[in-house]
Short mmCIF file of all heavy atoms in Angstrom, two decimals:
data_model
loop_
_atom_site.label_atom_id
_atom_site.label_comp_id
_atom_site.label_asym_id
_atom_site.label_seq_id
_atom_site.Cartn_x
_atom_site.Cartn_y
_atom_site.Cartn_z
N PHE A 1 42.71 16.91 -10.28
CA PHE A 1 42.06 17.99 -11.03
C PHE A 1 42.19 17.77 -12.53
O PHE A 1 43.18 17.20 -13.02
CB PHE A 1 42.68 19.34 -10.68
CG PHE A 1 42.68 19.64 -9.21
CD1 PHE A 1 43.80 19.38 -8.43
CD2 PHE A 1 41.55 20.15 -8.59
CE1 PHE A 1 43.79 19.63 -7.07
CE2 PHE A 1 41.54 20.41 -7.23
CZ PHE A 1 42.66 20.15 -6.46
N THR A 2 41.18 18.22 -13.26
CA THR A 2 41.28 18.38 -14.71
C THR A 2 41.09 19.87 -15.00
O THR A 2 40.34 20.55 -14.29
CB THR A 2 40.21 17.56 -15.46
OG1 THR A 2 38.90 17.87 -14.94
CG2 THR A 2 40.47 16.06 -15.30
N ALA A 3 41.77 20.35 -16.01
CA ALA A 3 41.72 21.79 -16.30
C ALA A 3 41.76 22.01 -17.80
O ALA A 3 42.62 21.49 -18.50
CB ALA A 3 42.90 22.50 -15.63
N GLY A 4 40.80 22.80 -18.29
CA GLY A 4 40.75 23.14 -19.71
C GLY A 4 39.95 24.41 -19.90
O GLY A 4 39.60 25.10 -18.94
N GLU A 5 39.65 24.71 -21.15
CA GLU A 5 38.93 25.96 -21.45
C GLU A 5 37.52 25.98 -20.87
O GLU A 5 37.02 27.05 -20.48
CB GLU A 5 38.86 26.16 -22.97
CG GLU A 5 40.20 26.49 -23.61
CD GLU A 5 40.07 26.70 -25.11
OE1 GLU A 5 38.93 26.72 -25.60
OE2 GLU A 5 41.11 26.86 -25.78
N LYS A 6 36.86 24.83 -20.81
CA LYS A 6 35.48 24.80 -20.34
C LYS A 6 35.38 24.84 -18.83
O LYS A 6 34.53 25.53 -18.27
CB LYS A 6 34.76 23.55 -20.88
CG LYS A 6 34.45 23.63 -22.36
CD LYS A 6 33.58 22.45 -22.78
CE LYS A 6 33.21 22.55 -24.26
NZ LYS A 6 32.36 21.40 -24.68
N GLU A 7 36.23 24.06 -18.14
CA GLU A 7 36.11 24.04 -16.69
C GLU A 7 37.39 23.55 -16.02
O GLU A 7 38.20 22.84 -16.61
CB GLU A 7 34.94 23.14 -16.24
CG GLU A 7 35.15 21.66 -16.55
CD GLU A 7 34.00 20.77 -16.07
OE1 GLU A 7 32.86 21.27 -15.96
OE2 GLU A 7 34.26 19.59 -15.80
N VAL A 8 37.53 23.96 -14.77
CA VAL A 8 38.51 23.38 -13.84
C VAL A 8 37.68 22.60 -12.83
O VAL A 8 36.74 23.14 -12.25
CB VAL A 8 39.34 24.47 -13.13
CG1 VAL A 8 40.16 23.85 -12.01
CG2 VAL A 8 40.24 25.19 -14.10
N ARG A 9 38.00 21.32 -12.66
CA ARG A 9 37.16 20.49 -11.79
C ARG A 9 38.00 19.63 -10.85
O ARG A 9 39.06 19.12 -11.24
CB ARG A 9 36.27 19.58 -12.64
CG ARG A 9 35.31 18.72 -11.82
CD ARG A 9 34.56 17.71 -12.69
NE ARG A 9 33.51 18.31 -13.49
CZ ARG A 9 32.20 18.19 -13.23
NH1 ARG A 9 31.79 17.52 -12.17
NH2 ARG A 9 31.32 18.75 -14.01
N ALA A 10 37.52 19.49 -9.63
CA ALA A 10 38.12 18.56 -8.67
C ALA A 10 37.32 17.26 -8.70
O ALA A 10 36.09 17.28 -8.67
CB ALA A 10 38.09 19.16 -7.27
N TRP A 11 38.05 16.15 -8.77
CA TRP A 11 37.40 14.83 -8.81
C TRP A 11 37.76 14.05 -7.55
O TRP A 11 38.94 13.86 -7.25
CB TRP A 11 37.86 14.05 -10.05
CG TRP A 11 37.52 14.71 -11.34
CD1 TRP A 11 38.30 15.58 -12.05
CD2 TRP A 11 36.31 14.56 -12.08
NE1 TRP A 11 37.65 15.99 -13.19
CE2 TRP A 11 36.42 15.38 -13.24
CE3 TRP A 11 35.14 13.82 -11.89
CZ2 TRP A 11 35.41 15.47 -14.19
CZ3 TRP A 11 34.13 13.92 -12.83
CH2 TRP A 11 34.27 14.73 -13.97
N PRO A 12 36.77 13.56 -6.81
CA PRO A 12 37.06 12.79 -5.59
C PRO A 12 37.43 11.35 -5.90
O PRO A 12 36.75 10.68 -6.68
CB PRO A 12 35.74 12.85 -4.82
CG PRO A 12 34.68 12.99 -5.88
CD PRO A 12 35.32 13.75 -7.02
N ILE A 13 38.52 10.89 -5.31
CA ILE A 13 38.94 9.50 -5.47
C ILE A 13 39.45 8.97 -4.13
O ILE A 13 39.95 9.73 -3.30
CB ILE A 13 40.07 9.34 -6.53
CG1 ILE A 13 41.26 10.28 -6.23
CG2 ILE A 13 39.54 9.53 -7.93
CD1 ILE A 13 42.48 10.02 -7.09
N PRO A 14 39.34 7.66 -3.90
CA PRO A 14 39.89 7.09 -2.66
C PRO A 14 41.41 7.18 -2.69
O PRO A 14 42.04 7.07 -3.75
CB PRO A 14 39.44 5.63 -2.71
CG PRO A 14 38.41 5.54 -3.78
CD PRO A 14 38.69 6.64 -4.74
N GLN A 15 42.01 7.38 -1.55
CA GLN A 15 43.47 7.34 -1.47
C GLN A 15 43.94 5.96 -1.91
O GLN A 15 43.38 4.95 -1.51
CB GLN A 15 43.92 7.65 -0.05
CG GLN A 15 43.63 9.09 0.36
CD GLN A 15 44.04 9.40 1.78
OE1 GLN A 15 44.92 8.76 2.33
NE2 GLN A 15 43.40 10.39 2.38
N GLY A 16 44.96 5.93 -2.75
CA GLY A 16 45.46 4.66 -3.27
C GLY A 16 44.90 4.29 -4.63
O GLY A 16 45.29 3.27 -5.23
N ALA A 17 44.00 5.11 -5.18
CA ALA A 17 43.41 4.82 -6.50
C ALA A 17 44.47 4.94 -7.59
O ALA A 17 45.34 5.82 -7.55
CB ALA A 17 42.26 5.77 -6.78
N THR A 18 44.39 4.07 -8.58
CA THR A 18 45.31 4.11 -9.71
C THR A 18 44.78 5.08 -10.77
O THR A 18 43.62 5.50 -10.72
CB THR A 18 45.46 2.72 -10.35
OG1 THR A 18 44.17 2.30 -10.83
CG2 THR A 18 46.00 1.71 -9.35
N ALA A 19 45.63 5.38 -11.76
CA ALA A 19 45.23 6.29 -12.83
C ALA A 19 43.99 5.80 -13.59
O ALA A 19 43.07 6.59 -13.82
CB ALA A 19 46.40 6.52 -13.79
N PRO A 20 43.90 4.53 -13.98
CA PRO A 20 42.68 4.08 -14.66
C PRO A 20 41.44 4.22 -13.78
O PRO A 20 40.36 4.59 -14.26
CB PRO A 20 42.96 2.61 -14.98
CG PRO A 20 44.45 2.51 -15.04
CD PRO A 20 44.94 3.47 -14.00
N GLN A 21 41.57 3.92 -12.47
CA GLN A 21 40.43 4.06 -11.56
C GLN A 21 40.00 5.53 -11.46
O GLN A 21 38.80 5.84 -11.42
CB GLN A 21 40.79 3.52 -10.17
CG GLN A 21 40.90 2.00 -10.14
CD GLN A 21 41.54 1.48 -8.87
OE1 GLN A 21 42.27 2.19 -8.18
NE2 GLN A 21 41.27 0.22 -8.55
N ALA A 22 40.98 6.42 -11.44
CA ALA A 22 40.68 7.85 -11.38
C ALA A 22 39.97 8.30 -12.65
O ALA A 22 39.02 9.08 -12.61
CB ALA A 22 41.97 8.65 -11.18
N ALA A 23 40.42 7.77 -13.79
CA ALA A 23 39.77 8.11 -15.06
C ALA A 23 38.33 7.62 -15.08
O ALA A 23 37.44 8.26 -15.64
CB ALA A 23 40.56 7.49 -16.22
N GLY A 24 38.08 6.48 -14.45
CA GLY A 24 36.74 5.91 -14.40
C GLY A 24 35.75 6.75 -13.63
O GLY A 24 34.53 6.61 -13.82
N VAL A 25 36.24 7.64 -12.75
CA VAL A 25 35.35 8.53 -12.01
C VAL A 25 34.71 9.53 -12.97
O VAL A 25 33.57 9.95 -12.79
CB VAL A 25 36.12 9.26 -10.89
CG1 VAL A 25 35.25 10.32 -10.21
CG2 VAL A 25 36.62 8.26 -9.85
N ILE A 26 35.44 9.90 -14.03
CA ILE A 26 34.90 10.80 -15.04
C ILE A 26 33.89 10.06 -15.91
O ILE A 26 32.77 10.51 -16.11
CB ILE A 26 36.03 11.38 -15.92
CG1 ILE A 26 37.03 12.15 -15.06
CG2 ILE A 26 35.45 12.27 -17.02
CD1 ILE A 26 38.26 12.64 -15.82
N HIS A 27 34.30 8.88 -16.39
CA HIS A 27 33.40 8.05 -17.21
C HIS A 27 33.96 6.63 -17.24
O HIS A 27 35.18 6.45 -17.36
CB HIS A 27 33.30 8.60 -18.63
CG HIS A 27 32.14 8.06 -19.40
ND1 HIS A 27 32.09 6.76 -19.86
CD2 HIS A 27 30.96 8.64 -19.76
CE1 HIS A 27 30.95 6.56 -20.49
NE2 HIS A 27 30.24 7.69 -20.44
N SER A 28 33.10 5.65 -17.14
CA SER A 28 33.56 4.26 -17.11
C SER A 28 34.35 3.89 -18.37
O SER A 28 35.27 3.07 -18.33
CB SER A 28 32.37 3.30 -16.94
OG SER A 28 31.43 3.49 -17.98
N ASP A 29 34.02 4.51 -19.52
CA ASP A 29 34.76 4.24 -20.76
C ASP A 29 36.22 4.67 -20.66
O ASP A 29 37.09 4.08 -21.30
CB ASP A 29 34.10 4.96 -21.95
CG ASP A 29 32.80 4.31 -22.38
OD1 ASP A 29 32.54 3.17 -21.94
OD2 ASP A 29 32.04 4.93 -23.15
N PHE A 30 36.47 5.73 -19.87
CA PHE A 30 37.85 6.22 -19.71
C PHE A 30 38.71 5.16 -19.02
O PHE A 30 39.89 5.00 -19.33
CB PHE A 30 37.88 7.51 -18.87
CG PHE A 30 37.41 8.74 -19.61
CD1 PHE A 30 36.54 8.66 -20.68
CD2 PHE A 30 37.85 10.00 -19.21
CE1 PHE A 30 36.11 9.78 -21.35
CE2 PHE A 30 37.43 11.14 -19.88
CZ PHE A 30 36.55 11.04 -20.96
N GLU A 31 38.10 4.44 -18.08
CA GLU A 31 38.85 3.40 -17.37
C GLU A 31 39.06 2.19 -18.28
O GLU A 31 40.17 1.64 -18.35
CB GLU A 31 38.10 2.98 -16.10
CG GLU A 31 38.84 1.92 -15.29
CD GLU A 31 38.19 1.64 -13.94
OE1 GLU A 31 37.13 2.23 -13.63
OE2 GLU A 31 38.75 0.80 -13.20
N LYS A 32 38.01 1.80 -19.00
CA LYS A 32 38.12 0.63 -19.88
C LYS A 32 39.15 0.85 -20.98
O LYS A 32 39.90 -0.06 -21.33
CB LYS A 32 36.75 0.33 -20.51
CG LYS A 32 35.71 -0.17 -19.53
CD LYS A 32 34.35 -0.28 -20.22
CE LYS A 32 33.24 -0.58 -19.22
NZ LYS A 32 31.90 -0.47 -19.85
N GLY A 33 39.16 2.05 -21.55
CA GLY A 33 40.05 2.32 -22.69
C GLY A 33 41.31 3.09 -22.32
O GLY A 33 41.95 3.68 -23.19
#
């Protein structure tokens, strides 16, 4: 989950995904950087 003033959102990821891979579900730039 991500949570802030604008929204609380659930993000689907495969079991075993790493933090960078999870960030990439939001935006590919998040994973790269």
Side-chain angles (χ1 to χ4, degrees):
F1 305 96
T2 53
E5 290 181 7
K6 287 188 178 180
E7 66 178 27
V8 170
R9 183 187 285 254
W11 299 92
I13 53 171
Q15 293 179 25
T18 61
Q21 289 168 337
V25 173
I26 300 174
H27 196 288
S28 57
D29 286 347
F30 285 25
E31 182 173 2
K32 292 173 188 171

